[in-house]
Amino acid sequence: MTTTAPPRPAAPATPPSPPSPGHRVLARLLRWWRQLTAMRTALMLLFLLAVASIPGSLLPQRSLSQTNVNRYFAEYPTLARWLDRLFLFDVFSSPWFAAIYLLLFISLIGCVVPRAIEHGRSLFTPPPPVPRHLQRLPEHAELSTSLPGAAALDVVEEELRVRRFRVVRREGRSGPEVSGEKGYLRETGNVLFHLSLLALLLGLAGGKMWGYEGSILVTEGQGFCNSFQQYDTYRSGPLVSGGDLTALCVNLEDFEAVYEQNLTAASFTADISYDVDGGEPVARTIGVNDPLRLDGDRVYVTGHGYSPEFTIVLPDGTALTDLSAPFLPTDPGTLASQGVLKVPDLGTGATEQLAVEGFFAPTGVVQAGVLTSVDPRPLDPQVAVIVYAGYLGLDSGLPQSVFSLDQDQIDRGSLNEVGRANLAVGESTTLPDGTVVTFSGFKEFAAIQVSHDPGQVWVLGASIAVLAGLLGMLLVRRERVFARVIPGPDGGGTVLSVGSLTRGSADTGPRFTALIDDVGAALATRAAQGPAAAPPLSEEAPPS
């Protein structure tokens, strides 16, 4: 008797070794990269960038107007401090806005570049073979003809080439067949749109990195040169230094404002002279929508106001004439303005300094002892002044505004009020020490902005390309037409089966019907002509 040994138990399967830490990190990075470069992520980031730009439109920005930011702090001190911590007064230079911008940039590169490469390959790829079940396509028709199969396909090929289809003729499983495709410009427009959007972001980023702008108030008869030290406010990219600025100097010769009957500003123009690199001065008139355009630089007029002029006669007879300072408008409707004229140098032996703080009214009216303005035009200019004497603190090393006095100097008693008065042109007030302050007239000033944006042309070209790509996406249809011939019933004639597949349009019936009608008419004509040779066809039509 033979004894059979029991089977040995199978060895337990060796569990797969866990991936190494490096492989796990690489897998997570690949997964994160796929999510970041998905089109859905790019759209979300683009929407988030638009939402993040809203505070920059609703709140004053330091890069545009430090004065408006200071006014917001004065009106809402607690809220302004919290908003400032969130960089909402510097939205477009904030870290969180830059992070969104950078992620969108990376996402677009990951989305568009592979897609552009794939589309470039498809331009040289012939149309796909005819589907096995041609009758399942959205548009399908069958035509019977007495022509042989090759001649029937010749007719279809000719009609497709007339319609600028790229046509390929093959020998399929069921016999000869024709594949035609057109509308490549639709995908080209899609790729162009996204590549142009990427170029637009590059242009905007380049303008921020290598661009700058500065603003300054210039009184008639005065001028400035393109230097950060001379601007009242300026903004420059991180890659811009003082030596990169254009050697441009501008003088304001005259300013003129024109008003409507309702006293709103219709236009204002500035007559300027400018020179570049110390060349000959060139005269030019600029306006709000008519800036001075130089190579890479723009000089704009962004506003205007008045600079009252004073004459100060000291007790020893020394006369300081033509002293003026821009007064900033506090009411844009009447151009009522406030400002201060600081006179730190009163001559040899003077121990005190003077400051004339005032309220200027182009058309002044005194009501209950208070001066107000009722018209922005200088019909009756008046100024209410408060004169201070003492130490202005200009050499203390602490920054202070040129448009207002340092309140700390007044609180400490370093500046003391020595007189006040309401003055018309030519009127004077005498201080206790015998100093005479005369309101001698006024001049107009223009708010001038110099901007340098090397990405402007790039942004313009990218914007045009974005629109061109969008039009291609919306107006061009991607169409494929397939045709196959099979023997007719009982071996008589030929049955031509034609199908169509269109992307980008819901109403494809009329176009397919017109194609079938033209093919049917051409088949009937060719059959009536007999077995005459068909005209030769070109090898391949250009893609559309």
Side-chain angles (χ1 to χ4, degrees):
M1 180 177 180
T2 304
T3 304
T4 303
R8 294 181 179 180
T14 304
S17 58
S20 63
H23 284 83
R24 289 198 297 267
V25 171
L26 182 59
R28 290 180 181 178
L29 288 176
L30 290 176
R31 190 181 306 114
W32 176 82
W33 175 255
R34 294 190 191 97
Q35 294 176 352
L36 179 61
T37 57
M39 186 58 67
R40 180 176 60 182
T41 303
L43 293 175
M44 292 175 60
L45 288 172
L46 187 61
F47 175 75
L48 186 59
L49 188 71
V51 173
S53 303
I54 294 177
S57 303
L58 300 179
L59 296 173
Q61 300 295 298
R62 285 192 176 91
S63 60
L64 300 178
S65 177
Q66 180 65 46
T67 303
N68 291 337
V69 175
N70 294 339
R71 186 179 298 117
Y72 196 93
F73 268 86
E75 295 177 356
Y76 312 100
T78 303
L79 177 61
R81 284 196 298 270
W82 283 100
L83 294 178
D84 197 26
R85 292 176 183 176
L86 298 175
F87 300 94
L88 293 182
F89 297 116
D90 303 277
V91 169
F92 303 106
S93 59
S94 62
W96 51 267
F97 190 87
I100 299 173
Y101 196 93
L102 182 60
L103 286 175
L104 176 61
F105 187 74
I106 296 174
S107 179
L108 283 176
I109 291 178
C111 289
V112 177
V113 173
R115 190 168 186 174
I117 296 174
E118 183 64 27
H119 177 60
R121 292 174 180 171
S122 69
L123 292 177
F124 302 95
T125 303
V130 177
R132 178 179 300 179
H133 302 287
L134 192 57
Q135 68 278 5
R136 295 182 181 178
L137 293 181
E139 304 292 340
H140 176 261
E142 291 185 349
L143 298 174
S144 298
T145 178
S146 60
L147 294 175
L153 288 181
D154 288 342
V155 172
V156 175
E157 184 176 354
E158 183 178 354
E159 291 296 332
L160 291 179
R161 292 189 186 279
V162 168
R163 288 167 168 78
R164 301 187 61 81
F165 277 77
R166 178 190 292 182
V167 182
V168 172
R169 195 157 175 171
R170 298 183 179 92
E171 188 67 29
R173 295 181 179 180
S174 303
E177 57 188 29
V178 168
S179 299
E181 187 171 13
K182 67 178 296 186
Y184 288 89
L185 287 180
R186 177 181 177 84
E187 184 63 21
T188 302
N190 195 342
V191 173
L192 176 64
F193 173 81
H194 290 92
L195 286 176
S196 303
L197 184 60
L198 186 62
L200 183 64
L201 294 177
L202 276 174
L204 293 175
K208 292 293 183 181
M209 298 290 287
W210 285 278
Y212 62 84
E213 65 181 22
S215 299
I216 186 173
L217 302 183
V218 184
T219 304
E220 292 173 320
Q222 299 179 3
F224 71 98
C225 289
N226 189 19
S227 171
F228 289 146
Q229 289 76 15
Q230 294 196 23
Y231 289 123
D232 299 328
T233 59
Y234 72 90
R235 176 199 62 80
S236 62
L239 302 181
V240 178
S241 63
D244 298 326
L245 274 64
T246 305
L248 169 69
C249 291
V250 179
N251 293 316
L252 178 62
E253 307 295 343
D254 185 55
F255 185 88
E256 181 181 2
V258 179
Y259 295 91
E260 303 283 359
Q261 292 183 353
N262 60 358
L263 302 184
T264 59
S267 66
F268 39 89
T269 57
D271 295 331
I272 65 171
S273 62
Y274 69 93
D275 64 85
V276 180
D277 292 328
E280 291 295 326
V282 179
R284 172 69 190 274
T285 299
I286 61 176
V288 176
N289 296 317
D290 184 24
L292 170 65
R293 300 179 183 273
L294 301 174
D295 186 16
D297 294 279
R298 304 290 185 269
V299 181
Y300 300 89
V301 174
T302 60
H304 74 109
Y306 296 97
S307 297
E309 288 188 307
F310 298 91
T311 298
I312 299 178
V313 180
L314 303 179
D316 61 359
T318 302
L320 305 177
T321 60
D322 297 329
L323 302 177
S324 66
F327 279 28
L328 299 180
T330 57
D331 185 351
T334 62
L335 285 186
S337 310
Q338 291 182 344
V340 61
L341 170 65
K342 299 179 182 181
V343 190
D345 186 9
L346 295 178
T348 305
T351 59
E352 291 186 330
Q353 300 171 332
L354 283 181
V356 181
E357 188 177 45
F359 174 86
F360 178 78
T363 302
V365 175
V366 179
Q367 299 176 347
V370 178
L371 178 64
T372 60
S373 180
V374 296
D375 197 306
R377 296 169 295 179
L379 304 179
D380 185 14
Q382 300 182 42
V383 63
V385 298
I386 302 176
V387 184
Y388 292 89
Y391 175 62
L392 295 174
L394 298 179
D395 57 354
S396 64
L398 299 176
Q400 58 175 278
S401 173
V402 297
F403 304 111
S404 62
L405 291 175
D406 187 357
Q407 188 62 37
D408 291 339
Q409 299 292 335
I410 300 176
D411 296 339
R412 288 196 297 264
S414 300
L415 278 178
N416 298 299
E417 181 182 334
V418 293
R420 64 171 61 200
N422 291 340
L423 305 176
V425 177
E427 295 183 345
S428 304
T429 181
T430 303
L431 305 182
D433 65 351
T435 300
V436 179
V437 179
T438 303
F439 175 39
S440 55
F442 68 93
K443 291 182 178 180
E444 294 190 72
F445 72 78
I448 295 181
Q449 176 179 298
V450 178
S451 298
H452 177 80
D453 188 354
Q456 277 188 338
V457 177
W458 186 274
V459 169
L460 176 61
S463 301
I464 296 175
V466 165
L467 293 177
L470 188 61
L471 289 176
M473 292 169 57
L474 297 177
L475 300 180
V476 179
R477 301 178 179 90
R478 187 72 177 269
E479 296 181 75
R480 288 175 177 172
V481 175
F482 306 99
R484 177 187 291 132
V485 291
I486 57 177
D490 301 329
T494 303
V495 175
L496 178 65
S497 180
V498 183
S500 173
L501 179 63
T502 303
R503 291 193 305 177
S505 177
D507 187 16
T508 60
R511 296 169 62 88
F512 182 74
T513 301
L515 173 64
I516 295 301
D517 292 343
D518 291 345
V519 170
L523 290 174
T525 302
R526 189 71 56 84
Q529 292 176 352
L537 299 174
S538 60
E539 289 296 326
E540 186 171 316
S544 62

